[in-house]
């Protein structure tokens, strides 16, 4: 790793990967074994940052709003606060650590080679996946799920199967986080250059042969604002066989295509961007899995824990749990101001006090069916684009949320969970407290201060689970080999290509995909057929 300020004004590589995140790191490590690779990351290093490393400081990273934060906060046009990773290792540096494979249907629809998929998962797991040790609170949630019928119990497994299971975690036995950046230990050091604080402003194109337009370089700026250019290497006077690969995430990848002139022509022209390719599907199909939750203060001691087990239901919802994190910071509840009434002050302080020993059980809506779109706010690549997810636009998603909340209610009321809930706390009282705590700024949010219905509760308390995807989807913007339609030497390999979120958590699938496509690209270029 080195700061981009040390990069030459101009350099040549076989492959240029934009984004050192969850997919970009394993992709770069794989390609570097045979080729000269440049990995451009707009953020810094995760190493030495205690907020990233330690499980107990999970919320500290997410709530860091400084200009150099590894977590860039943004608010969707729906009014839901979200986070975009800005660090080598991407979302694996910020998330709750749960590791599980994609559901089989996702792999089948993507047309992926199952043998190579499994080998790619194993390649990741050798470095950074561990078996969690469930303590009392997490075990109570697991047993509560079984008690309410989320069966069978599948034990510890990475597989996506109906029932309740314990998944993997990227936190080791000392509660230290491992990230996708750790996969760079597989890289050939002489074949890989990693530049930090390198923000790509534009992809460069030229006409290849008679008519085909192809990517051949990028313009990026370092942390001091100096401009650099990187180009694909030519081979003995021939055109390059290399590629530019965009792995900048579900926001960054469509944003960069738009900034480079690939997207809806009218939108590009309105911002003064020269249209390279009128591609109306860039930025379309944006989706974010809705998350809804119940906070449960406990009379018994609760351990600090993040995602360790999951209930995979047949009702279109997944149930997970976190405990004794900093809920005040997590949900943005602040101490009262002078403008608040004594009653409001008392309520807020009472809730803050009760959250010192509490957990939350969350519902993630699968899919989702509801989708939205992304547009550029301006031509500045450092700013986040405008994105609309249209939470619960489709009734099917809302019904799935209601189904999930009913299951959570059952877990809270279960005998298995009884030691971690005050007998006087009815589910309705917990819903009211959570509704007071969980904030979004949706324009359609109800003004009611007390629980009305699960339907309204889902709408009023929806937050993100950070699994947003879409914008460069397969079959719409890229083909099944992730090559951008209509131009040459350009691919997109990350979550922006997904139609749906792959199972309960996408990070395993993204790291697998980086490794998988690295092998595919290498074998195609070298005429090889091996899977390792």
């Amino acid at each position: 790793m080195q700061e981009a300020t040390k990069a030459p004004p101009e350099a040549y590589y076989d492959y240029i990967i934009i984004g050192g995140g969850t997919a970009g790191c394993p992709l770069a490590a794989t390609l570097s074994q045979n080729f000269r690779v440049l990995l451009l990351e707009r953020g810094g290093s995760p190493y030495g940052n205690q907020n990233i490393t330690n499980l107990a400081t999970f919320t500290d990273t997410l709530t860091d709003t400084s200009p150099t934060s590894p977590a860039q906060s943004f608010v969707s046009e729906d009014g839901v606060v979200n986070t975009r990773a800005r660090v080598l290792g991407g979302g694996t540096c910020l998330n709750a650590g749960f590791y599980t494979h994609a559901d089989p249907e996702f792999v089948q629809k993507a047309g992926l080679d199952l043998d190579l998929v499994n080998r790619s998962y194993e390649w990741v797991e050798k470095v950074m996946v561990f078996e969690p040790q469930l303590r009392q609170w997490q075990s109570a949630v697991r047993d509560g799920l079984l008690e309410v019928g989320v069966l069978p119990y599948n034990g510890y497994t990475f597989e996506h199967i109906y029932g309740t299971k314990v998944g993997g975690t990227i936190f080791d036995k000392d509660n230290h986080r491992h990230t996708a950046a750790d996969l760079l230990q597989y890289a050939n050091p002489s074949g890989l250059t990693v530049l930090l604080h390198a923000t790509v402003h534009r992809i460069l194109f030229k006409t290849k042969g008679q008519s085909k337009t192809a990517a051949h370089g990028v313009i990026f700026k370092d942390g001091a604002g100096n401009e650099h250019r990187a180009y694909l290497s030519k081979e003995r006077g021939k055109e390059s066989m290399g590629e530019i690969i965009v792995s900048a995430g579900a926001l960054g990848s469509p944003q960069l295509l738009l900034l480079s002139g690939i997207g809806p022509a009218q939108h590009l022209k309105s911002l003064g961007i020269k249209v390279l390719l009128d591609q109306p599907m860039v930025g379309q199909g944006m989706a974010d899995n809705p998350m809804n939750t119940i906070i449960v203060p406990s009379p018994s001691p609760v351990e600090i824990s993040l995602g360790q087990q999951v209930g995979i239901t047949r009702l279109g919802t997944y149930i997970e749990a976190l405990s004794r994190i900093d809920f005040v910071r997590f949900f943005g509840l602040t101490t009262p101001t002078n403008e608040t009434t004594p009653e409001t002050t008392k309520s807020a302080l009472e809730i803050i006090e009760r959250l010192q020993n509490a957990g939350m059980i969350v519902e993630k809506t699968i899919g989702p069916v509801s989708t939205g779109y992304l547009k550029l706010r301006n031509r500045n690549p450092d700013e986040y684009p405008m994105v609309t997810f249209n939470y619960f636009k489709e009734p099917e998603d809302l019904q799935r949320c209601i189904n999930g909340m009913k299951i959570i209610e059952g877990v809270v009321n279960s005998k298995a969970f009884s030691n971690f809930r005050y007998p006087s706390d009815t589910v309705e009282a917990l819903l009211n407290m959570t509704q007071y705590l969980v904030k979004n700024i949706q324009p359609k949010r109800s003004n009611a201060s007390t629980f009305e219905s699960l339907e309204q509760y889902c709408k009023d308390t929806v937050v993100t689970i950070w699994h947003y995807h879409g914008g460069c989807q397969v079959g719409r913007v890229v083909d099944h080999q992730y090559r951008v339609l209509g131009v040459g030497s350009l691919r997109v390999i990350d979550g922006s290509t997904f139609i749906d979120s792959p199972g309960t958590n996408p990070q395993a699938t993204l790291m697998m995909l980086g490794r998988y496509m690295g092998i595919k690209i290498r074998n195609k270029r070298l005429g090889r057929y091996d899977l390792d």
Side-chain angles (χ1 to χ4, degrees), residues 29-59:
T30 301
L31 289 175
S32 73
Q33 291 294 332
N34 301 92
F35 308 105
R36 191 161 176 244
V37 177
L38 173 64
L39 180 62
L40 297 168
E41 168 52 47
R42 72 191 185 107
S45 168
Y47 301 109
N49 186 328
Q50 295 302 308
N51 285 348
I52 290 174
T53 303
N54 296 327
L55 182 148
T57 53
F58 165 65
T59 54

Side-chain angles (χ1 to χ4, degrees), residues 462-479:
V462 63
V463 291
T464 184
I465 199 167
W466 308 287
H467 297 172
Y468 55 89
H469 52 278
C472 298
Q473 292 173 316
V474 171
R476 298 174 180 175
V477 176
V478 299
D479 65 16

